[in-house]
Amino acid sequence: MIRTIATKPYDDQKPGTSGLRKKVPVFQQEHYAENFIQSIFNSLEGFQGRALVIGGDGRFYNREVIDKAIRMAAANGFGKVIVGKGGILSTPAASNIIRKYKAFGGIVLSASHNPGGPHEDFGIKYNIGNGGPAPEKITDAIFTNSKTIAEFRIADAAAPDIDTIGEGEVAGMKVSVIDPVADYAELMERLFDFDAIGAMFKGGFRMAFDAMHAVTGPYAKEILENRLGAPKGTARNFVPLEDFGGHHPDPNLVHAKHLYDEMMRPDAPDFGAASDGDGDRNLIIGKGIFVTPSDSLAVLAANAHLAPGYKAGLKGIARSMPTSGAADRVAEKLGIGMYETPTGWKFFGNLLDAGMATICGEESAGTGSDHVREKDGLWAVLLWLNILAVRKESAKAIVEKHWAQYGRNYYSRHDYEEVETERANGLVEELRAKLSTLAGTEARGMKIAAADDFAYHDPVDGSVSKNQGIRILFEGGSRVVLRLSGTGTSGATLRLYVERYEPDPARHGLDTQAALADLIAAADDIAGIKRHTGRDKPTVIT
Ligand code: G1P
Ligand code: ZN
């Protein structure tokens, strides 16, 4: 039986950079999740009888919301729901399933790299039929709908069994429970040379992959150990836990410090990697070298043709604005297009769909290609493995040769987390007000060439996205960027991105923070970071 239930709107259901993210107790409020899911459906047209993909990263509250989403999809007229067994689908795997089975769209339940548990984070994101995050037109409509919602529709049925692979039914709608890993593993086998990578493992190559008790565990176990023959134990922390074992499933130098420390030891494995809560981010650490995500994008782009899926070459490269310009130099050398987009994977969708870009990346440990419409952690790891297997050199040698050829972009991000919203907004407003006066002035002896608030003109659909981050460009190619996070769940997070280009190989061995010290100080002089935030140092440096 289908029921229509009266509800009252909440005023805080505005999707951010990656969907709606809130603390679990917020989602547990009466009808909170139902309101948001109904607002998604109310923003869509033409889905009657079509398929909807549902899955999540397995965090606390995943199962409850999956149950509601399935029964609401049935009540709203979807013809079928495709759900990963146990409610599990990594974000890139969900994107692949939407595309492969030509679903109308998908609901992905995750708060990415944020911690999970009864008092931690949860999230709901809608992806469209191309497999990618909904564009702003749709997320804006969802928010508008959420502000006036008066009722939602739900099937009054028993919770469907999502733990057995096979076909079922809820209120006349089909429910197909699938193996979350199989389709994804098959896609990876098509893109990469599994024989070459397998031979490398057979030859004694050792790797540490840390799944951080999050969703990529089962994927890594199947692909690295079962299909590529890597030794047992290559995939670590591979059982997804509702609270990620109490850790942040965030593959950076803070939360995966143990992996970094191990990779710097003389007896380190040849290659180290990790992925985040929902499997779309990656951390790459070669023996003796941390590879920044911006450098990783550039190295992957320069070497992608060594993998079967990219042997025809790249059509173009896209990166988010705060990501370093390292990939730009690769695009220039290859003679292909380079696109600079706002932060957030959704901005890559049009470029990938239009065949203008093949590889995309963000400084925040996101790399991916046109094989799906999300960033993809394991994909990046496998492309690295493919390159290592073909070049038969260490990751360190490959990166250092890359710098020697293209120059090095020293790069770091400083995050000021949980700043009072008013103080963070005050900083941004004050900075915006003086942007037009900055060009031509000096900071710490460096001349400012230009300053603006980044606006993106989508070359495919003509849409314009304004206020996407403040850029201060110095003469010689260095820059600092400031923006407020769109994914936080408490207070505001100020991100400061700092980049310095160094062409001279004799100066490629500097400590990153030391190499950027002048720019960091200049950013504080210009923006008054300490004054506004009341902090004397960032919370996290990556
Ligand atoms: C952050 C990252 C951004 C990424 C997003 C989702 O967003 O900076 O690159 O796309 O998470 O993973 P932010 O919190 O900066 O808005
Ligand atoms: Zn993620």
Side-chain angles (χ1 to χ4, degrees):
M1 203 182 66
I2 306 297
R3 292 210 292 153
T4 301
I5 297 180
T7 187
K8 287 207 183 68
Y10 289 89
D11 62 4
D12 64 346
Q13 298 196 321
K14 184 175 169 56
T17 319
S18 324
L20 183 68
R21 292 234 181 115
K22 301 282 174 193
K23 296 284 176 205
V24 167
V26 174
F27 270 104
Q28 286 170 327
Q29 296 174 91
E30 190 183 31
H31 300 161
Y32 192 89
E34 289 89 335
N35 276 15
F36 189 69
I37 294 169
Q38 188 65 52
S39 300
I40 295 174
F41 294 158
N42 291 349
S43 310
L44 307 175
E45 267 171 38
F47 58 78
Q48 301 298 319
R50 302 277 308 276
L52 179 72
V53 173
I54 302 181
D57 63 9
R59 69 178 59 227
F60 186 87
Y61 212 47
N62 197 43
R63 282 180 173 264
E64 286 83 347
V65 176
I66 286 190
D67 173 54
K68 291 178 207 257
I70 294 175
R71 292 189 292 127
M72 289 181 67
N76 278 273
F78 278 94
K80 180 181 185 176
V81 155
I82 304 173
V83 58
K85 181 175 177 236
I88 294 286
L89 279 178
S90 77
T91 292
S95 182
N96 179 44
I97 301 285
I98 295 170
R99 295 167 67 77
K100 182 166 177 179
Y101 298 103
K102 303 197 165 30
F104 185 84
I107 289 182
V108 183
L109 307 174
S110 166
S112 188
H113 51 287
N114 293 3
H119 301 288
E120 299 297 349
D121 292 359
F122 191 76
I124 303 181
K125 181 168 88 157
Y126 180 69
N127 281 27
I128 58 174
N130 75 352
E136 277 186 341
K137 201 172 61 174
I138 295 181
T139 53
D140 288 348
I142 295 172
F143 183 42
T144 305
N145 275 309
S146 78
K147 286 189 280 196
T148 55
I149 190 163
E151 57 186 41
F152 65 87
R153 289 162 68 77
I154 189 161
D156 206 4
D161 170 19
I162 56 168
D163 293 305
T164 317
I165 291 175
E167 307 294 317
E169 202 204 289
V170 166
M173 179 191 75
K174 288 188 197 140
V175 177
S176 179
V177 180
I178 60 164
D179 176 342
V181 178
D183 294 288
Y184 179 83
E186 188 192 290
L187 173 62
M188 294 302 116
E189 282 190 334
R190 265 189 282 130
L191 295 176
F192 302 117
D193 188 343
F194 271 42
D195 291 339
I197 304 171
M200 180 170 73
F201 279 120
K202 223 171 174 187
F205 182 88
R206 284 187 310 135
M207 168 178 186
F209 179 87
D210 191 342
M212 304 187 88
H213 296 296
V215 80
T216 41
Y219 295 84
K221 194 107 189 112
E222 170 64 20
I223 294 171
L224 298 175
E225 296 185 8
N226 297 346
R227 300 199 185 199
L228 289 168
K232 293 267 168 294
T234 297
R236 303 174 180 179
N237 301 321
F238 58 85
V239 178
L241 301 176
E242 281 199 334
D243 66 350
F244 309 115
H247 302 294
H248 285 231
D250 191 352
N252 63 23
L253 296 184
V254 177
H255 299 293
K257 176 134 192 327
H258 50 279
L259 183 64
Y260 175 83
D261 290 344
E262 179 179 348
M263 293 305 299
M264 295 306 127
R265 288 203 291 263
D267 61 343
D270 300 288
F271 192 64
S275 190
D276 73 331
D278 63 330
D280 56 359
R281 293 188 177 200
N282 70 85
L283 169 72
I284 301 292
I285 313 179
K287 182 174 180 167
I289 189 169
F290 159 65
V291 187
T292 69
S294 295
D295 276 347
S296 180
L297 173 67
V299 170
L300 292 179
N303 293 279
H305 61 279
L306 301 176
Y310 306 93
K311 66 171 186 288
L314 308 180
K315 292 170 183 150
I317 307 172
R319 64 162 171 85
S320 66
M321 183 273 282
T323 304
S324 97
D328 302 28
R329 297 173 193 281
V330 176
E332 200 183 335
K333 157 122 192 302
L334 294 173
I336 56 177
M338 178 75 222
Y339 304 91
E340 189 177 35
T341 60
T343 295
W345 207 260
K346 64 186 172 192
F347 292 100
F348 295 134
N350 280 344
L351 296 168
L352 294 168
D353 283 351
M356 294 165 77
T358 307
I359 282 192
C360 315
E362 293 195 275
E363 52 67 41
S364 53
T367 335
S369 87
D370 57 1
H371 67 293
V372 290
R373 291 296 179 273
E374 289 278 6
K375 54 188 178 247
D376 188 343
L378 260 178
W379 170 90
V381 173
L382 291 165
L383 180 49
W384 262 101
L385 288 175
N386 198 144
I387 293 165
L388 293 169
V390 174
R391 286 188 51 171
K392 303 190 194 321
E393 291 173 277
S394 69
K396 188 162 193 270
I398 289 175
V399 171
E400 288 174 353
K401 283 186 186 172
H402 187 95
W403 291 338
Q405 184 178 359
Y406 296 94
R408 176 171 182 185
N409 292 68
Y410 282 100
Y411 188 86
S412 182
R413 186 177 99 186
H414 290 198
D415 293 333
Y416 294 79
E417 292 173 343
E418 297 190 34
V419 175
E420 277 167 64
T421 309
E422 277 168 28
R423 299 182 84 153
N425 289 340
L427 182 152
V428 171
E429 275 158 33
E430 190 184 293
L431 187 54
R432 262 192 202 128
K434 68 174 184 193
L435 273 183
S436 60
T437 66
L438 289 176
T441 63
E442 278 195 4
R444 302 270 161 162
M446 295 172 290
K447 193 145 192 207
I448 299 176
D452 70 354
D453 197 346
F454 180 58
Y456 179 59
H457 299 256
D458 187 310
V460 180
D461 67 16
S463 62
V464 179
S465 305
K466 291 187 178 153
N467 303 332
Q468 297 296 321
I470 292 170
R471 307 189 279 191
I472 300 164
L473 312 169
F474 295 87
E475 281 179 358
S478 296
R479 62 172 191 164
V480 298
V481 172
L482 292 103
R483 60 177 283 279
L484 298 181
S485 153
T487 59
T489 52
S490 47
T493 294
L494 171 72
R495 302 202 196 284
L496 167 70
Y497 310 83
V498 193
E499 174 179 2
R500 175 182 144 199
Y501 179 63
E502 178 54 71
D504 179 4
R507 301 181 57 81
H508 285 170
L510 308 178
D511 169 74
T512 297
Q513 297 305 318
L516 298 173
D518 278 359
L519 287 159
I520 294 166
D524 191 47
D525 290 351
I526 298 166
I529 298 173
K530 290 186 185 134
R531 173 167 50 90
H532 282 284
T533 62
R535 309 276 179 83
D536 60 359
K537 59 174 188 328
T539 334
V540 180
I541 296 182
T542 47

